[in-house]
Every structure is written in C-alpha cells, then in structure tokens.
Amino acid sequence: MNILLINPKYPETFWSFKHVLRFISKKAAFPPLGLLTVAAILPGGWQKKLVDLNVEPLTDATLDWADLVFVGAMLVQRESAQEVIDRAKAAGKRVVAGGPAFTAAPELFPGVDHLVLNEGEITLPMFVRDFLAGTPQPRYTSDEKPDIAKTPAPLWQLIKMKNYATMSVQFSRGCPFNCEFCDIIVMNGRVPRTKSPTQMLGELETLRKAGWRGSVFIVDDNFIGNKDKVKTFLRELIVWQKASKFPFTFFTEASLNLAQDEELMRLMSAANFHKVFLGIETPSLDSLKECSKLQNTTLDLAKAVNAIQSNGMQVMAGFIVGFDSDTERIFETQMQFIQRIGVVTAMVGMLAALPGTRLWHRLQAEDRLLGETSGENTDGSLNFIPKMGVDTLVKGYKDLVNSLYAPKEYYARVNTFLKHYRPTAFSRVTWNETVALFRSFWTIGLRSHARLLYWKLILKTLFTKFKAFPTAVEMAICGLHFEKCARRMREE
C-alpha cells in the first residue's frame, strides 16, 4: 500500500516568514509535524512518501505512485488543500483528510472520500481497520482524548531537514484556560495531556542523531498548562542538554502566568529556551474580561513581560482588536502599549470567530456571523459584525499594523527590548546565520530605507551588548519581513 501524505501550501502571512527564509537559505519555517506523526501511526508495512508543497512541488509521477492520498491542513491552508483534493480526485485517487481545518469545518472541503477527524491516535486506527476490512466509512470522529504518552515519534526520515528553519516536537496538548475565542480547548480539551520525559528525550535524541542542530519549536497549545509535569521534564532536559553539549535552542507557546513562577522561568532558561510566544491580547481590562482571558487580569502585563525577558527569553506575543468592549481608541491604546513594553514580534490580529468556539456560538445566536473565517486573523478579513463597525475596525487595524512595523517604531521596540533582555541561551553561530548577517548588510544596511536605524542597532549592540548581537540581527531581518507583509496588507 503506497501512502502519499501532502502538506498544502501556506499563503504569505506574518507567520510564514517568507522574506526571512531567503536570508538563511531555507524553504519553510516549520516541518509538517502532524503528518509526520500520522505517518508513524499508519501500519509499518505501508510505503510512505511526504510532499510538503511549501518546499517542493507535487509531481504527476509521485501522485501516480499513490494508492491513498492523505491531506492534513489548518484553515489558513484551505485554498491549497482544496487544490490538492481536486487534483488527486482528477487523477482517480482516494483522498483521506484530517487535521484542524477538516475537524473544524469539514463541509468546506468537497471531494474528500474519508474524513478522519479529531485526534488521529483514536480515529486513524478506526479508519485503517475498516479500510483493511474493505468497509471504510466516509467520516470518523471521536470525543475521546488519547494518552499522548503512547503517541509514536514522528517519521523524520520522510523529510529533508535542511529545507526547514526549525524542527518541531510536541510535549503536551490542551490548555486549562477557557478563552472565548480559542478553538484549542474545542479540539484538545482543557486538561493538558503530556508525554513522559523519557519519551521527549528520545524524540530529541533522534533529531540530534539525525544531525539537527539549532532551533526546536515545542508546538504545545500551552507548554506550561501542567506546571508540575513541565518542571519534571525541564529538569531532565537540562541534564540531557548539558550532556549533549546543548545541541538545541527551544521556543514555545505559553500563558502569561509564566511570569508568576520564578522557578519555572529559571528552569526554561537553563534548558536553553530563548523565545516564548504569549497571548497578551489587549491592555483593556474590559476586553480581557469579555473574552474570559481572566488569567491576564490579575497581572501587571508590562512587568510580566519584563520578568520573562530578564530571564533570557524573548517575548513574542499575540494581540487582538475587535472585541465588543473595544472602542475606536483601542488602536492607539494597543500601539502605545506594545511600544512601551517592547514586544518586537507583536502579532496583532482582528478578532475571528473560529468554528465551534464559544465566541462563534455567541455570535451565531446574535445573528452577527458573516461567513467562514480564513483562519488567518492578520489578513484584514472579518467573519462577523463588530460593534464598532466593519469599516472602522478594518481601517483601524490596517493603520495599526502599518504603524507597528514602520521602521522607526519597529527599531524603537527592539531597543526597548534590549534594555530588559538578559540573554542566557547557548547557541552556536551556524554558516547559514553568518551568511544571513552579510546578506543583511547588503539588503538592509545598503538598500533599505531603514539602513540608518539598522546600522545604529548593529553597532550599538555589537559594542554594548555583544551576547544579544545574534538576536539583534535576527530582529532586523524579521523587521524587513514584517514591513513587507504590512505593506502588502495595506495595498489589498
């Protein structure tokens, strides 16, 4: 049985880092971890190939080889996913589809023969059993939450690691919080499930033996959802990192209450975490209460960010505009807040009603839904009627993003960040990073209209905060990407 697994293409977004990848000679930011895990769950005797459309095309010969075509996608990949489905069906292939996009909105994808929804550890064996018996069903669903301590390691041999900027692993699923707009708890529940430290270290050792060095993204919904389990893992990870001479730097997603746990921050720093993405959302207390982001209402947000950055971790953060409690003042409020706290990578999006969330159900009951979401809350599109009005929200949002990523404001945030940042992560400078530095000299330092700000940052960091120099270079390169994305969005 020949199984072809296909990862559809991502559109150009803030998170695609398209304009950064060429600096480091990579084709995509992240590998398709979900499909690599699906491949490991499928019977070992089946032949498997994986095509990631973000790094290579799908050839007719590869499609002809397949007996079954598996497609996994997020909502933001919808357009490319449908193109894959249509092409596979035109070639006479049977299509099996799963993942967040298909679980959230299966009706959006005509042509799929078998929908394998929810968590694959449960539903995929159900499909395989029926398929081998000659009785496959059109849809497989389950509310059961699997023990991911039994999830097999991803089949890394299906990809070429050199194509990617970072590798990905998963430690836990689920989040204990109940934010109204979030679909994580709809898909993965509110009780975090974790892998064992032995299991995680085994996966990391596999990556190390395969020759990977550098960045590893722990893709958890909320890495610190179960703090006791996280601390146990981190203590063993620190020992492994030291024994292995620190082959990896880590980054992950977490909740802002990380700042309230000094021990946890110290452990993450010692384990070589150098970045963490936080859902800050908004400085508006009313809006935080409205969306049930109550864990953020008990914190001084600025002090929390500073605490994490002083422990050697760069804070990346998500922000949202468009809550019912927001007024037209929110755009300027967000701008001033983000500049003041020095979050350089500030992913500001408009509120989106994702299928199945409490927000989606509330807006549906209020007859305020406009249609399906694109799955990308930074593309300037809305799928609900906001209280402040569609035109006001869209214009205010686009103006905010363009202001945030204008060179003067962006470099001001970099400098604010560097005041609080205490770099502790150990990393080796790679050849690709060296090449990226010299490419930045030409592309940003000579050709960009931000060249004066660039050279001021580079020279200041080089002579006054040398350990942060690689981070400053990375931020300058990312700033070019963000500015281009903002400009494209403004022109649409």
Side-chain angles (χ1 to χ4, degrees), residues 22-76:
R22 62 187 178 87
F23 279 88
I24 55 175
S25 303
K26 301 295 183 180
K27 295 182 178 180
F30 310 108
L33 182 64
L35 284 175
L36 293 169
T37 305
V38 164
I41 296 173
L42 291 171
W46 289 5
Q47 300 300 308
K48 300 153 191 172
K49 290 183 180 180
L50 189 149
V51 173
D52 182 354
L53 296 182
N54 299 281
V55 303
E56 62 182 320
L58 172 62
T59 65
D60 290 339
T62 300
L63 190 56
D64 289 342
W65 169 88
D67 295 313
L68 286 176
V69 174
F70 279 66
V71 183
M74 302 179 70
L75 277 172
V76 71

Side-chain angles (χ1 to χ4, degrees), residues 145-454:
K145 303 301 180 188
D147 178 3
I148 65 171
K150 299 177 182 178
T151 299
L155 292 188
W156 295 110
Q157 62 267 33
L158 295 182
I159 63 168
K160 295 179 181 178
M161 291 184 180
K162 66 180 182 180
N163 287 328
Y164 299 94
T166 184
M167 286 295 105
S168 303
V169 296
Q170 184 178 56
F171 171 67
S172 70
R173 284 184 208 158
C175 178
F177 299 113
N178 193 29
C179 304
E180 185 188 40
F181 56 81
C182 185
D183 63 345
I184 291 300
I185 55 177
V186 176
M187 293 187 292
N188 293 336
R190 293 187 61 191
V191 179
R193 292 160 283 141
T194 68
K195 294 179 179 178
S196 69
T198 300
Q199 184 180 8
M200 285 296 297
L201 295 181
E203 292 187 24
L204 294 173
E205 180 64 16
T206 299
L207 285 176
R208 190 190 70 82
K209 287 183 176 178
W212 183 256
R213 298 294 184 274
S215 180
V216 175
F217 178 28
I218 299 182
V219 302
D220 295 18
D221 310 319
N222 182 354
F223 179 65
I224 66 167
N226 186 323
K227 289 187 178 181
D228 290 338
K229 292 286 184 69
V230 168
K231 289 178 181 179
T232 299
F233 165 53
L234 288 173
R235 291 185 185 103
E236 296 197 28
L237 177 59
I238 292 167
V239 174
W240 182 88
Q241 282 269 69
K242 290 179 179 177
S244 304
K245 299 181 180 179
F246 288 91
F248 304 138
T249 56
F250 295 99
F251 67 103
T252 192
E253 300 181 34
S255 44
L256 192 59
N257 60 322
L258 167 64
Q260 295 175 313
D261 195 320
E262 290 287 345
E263 180 189 25
L264 182 51
M265 288 189 289
R266 287 196 300 270
L267 287 171
M268 289 178 67
S269 180
N272 227 28
F273 280 75
H274 68 133
K275 296 179 185 176
V276 60
F277 181 86
L278 308 172
I280 294 178
E281 318 310 357
T282 177
S284 167
L285 187 61
D286 288 339
S287 295
L288 289 173
K289 291 178 179 178
E290 173 194 319
C291 70
S292 301
K293 193 91 177 184
L294 303 181
Q295 66 271 26
N296 284 14
T297 64
T298 61
L299 293 163
D300 181 313
L301 301 180
K303 288 183 179 178
V305 169
N306 290 344
I308 295 169
Q309 292 181 159
S310 65
N311 275 276
M313 290 177 284
Q314 177 194 155
V315 170
M316 307 178 291
F319 299 88
I320 295 175
V321 292
F323 294 111
D324 286 352
S325 300
D326 287 345
T327 68
E328 293 183 38
R329 293 191 300 273
I330 191 60
F331 307 109
E332 182 61 28
T333 300
Q334 284 276 31
M335 180 70 191
Q336 292 177 357
F337 175 69
I338 293 169
Q339 291 299 115
R340 178 166 62 87
I341 65 176
V343 171
V344 180
T345 304
M347 293 302 189
V348 183
M350 290 191 296
L351 185 64
L354 298 173
T357 60
R358 289 195 297 122
L359 175 64
W360 188 89
H361 287 293
R362 175 169 70 82
L363 294 176
Q364 184 183 53
E366 296 172 3
D367 197 27
R368 293 170 60 192
L369 288 179
L370 294 175
E372 302 297 337
T373 176
S374 67
E376 168 53 49
N377 69 345
T378 62
D379 63 0
S381 64
L382 274 174
N383 74 324
F384 75 100
I385 301 171
K387 286 285 182 74
M388 73 170 68
V390 172
D391 292 342
T392 300
L393 177 54
V394 172
K395 182 182 183 304
Y397 169 68
K398 289 185 176 182
D399 289 345
L400 170 59
V401 171
N402 277 280
S403 296
L404 277 171
Y405 288 110
K408 180 180 178 181
E409 286 73 16
Y410 181 79
Y411 279 86
R413 289 204 305 284
V414 174
N415 284 297
T416 298
F417 159 75
L418 290 173
K419 290 179 183 177
H420 301 283
Y421 183 49
R422 301 290 182 269
T424 58
F426 173 83
S427 63
R428 301 171 181 84
V429 177
T430 66
W431 173 249
N432 282 340
E433 289 170 338
T434 302
V435 171
L437 172 62
F438 285 100
R439 284 175 175 167
S440 74
F441 289 167
W442 170 254
T443 305
I444 308 174
L446 294 177
R447 300 180 62 192
S448 168
H449 59 283
R451 55 186 175 273
L452 294 179
L453 294 166
Y454 168 84

Side-chain angles (χ1 to χ4, degrees), residues 444-468:
I444 308 174
L446 294 177
R447 300 180 62 192
S448 168
H449 59 283
R451 55 186 175 273
L452 294 179
L453 294 166
Y454 168 84
W455 285 116
K456 185 176 180 180
L457 171 68
I458 291 297
L459 294 173
K460 179 180 178 181
T461 310
L462 185 63
F463 290 109
T464 66
K465 208 162 191 176
F466 182 73
K467 288 189 69 175

Side-chain angles (χ1 to χ4, degrees), residues 1-21:
M1 182 64 61
N2 294 335
I3 307 299
L4 177 61
L5 303 106
I6 302 177
N7 183 37
K9 195 168 185 177
Y10 285 92
E12 181 182 336
T13 68
F14 284 94
W15 283 117
S16 70
F17 292 102
K18 173 183 174 181
H19 304 291
V20 175
L21 294 170

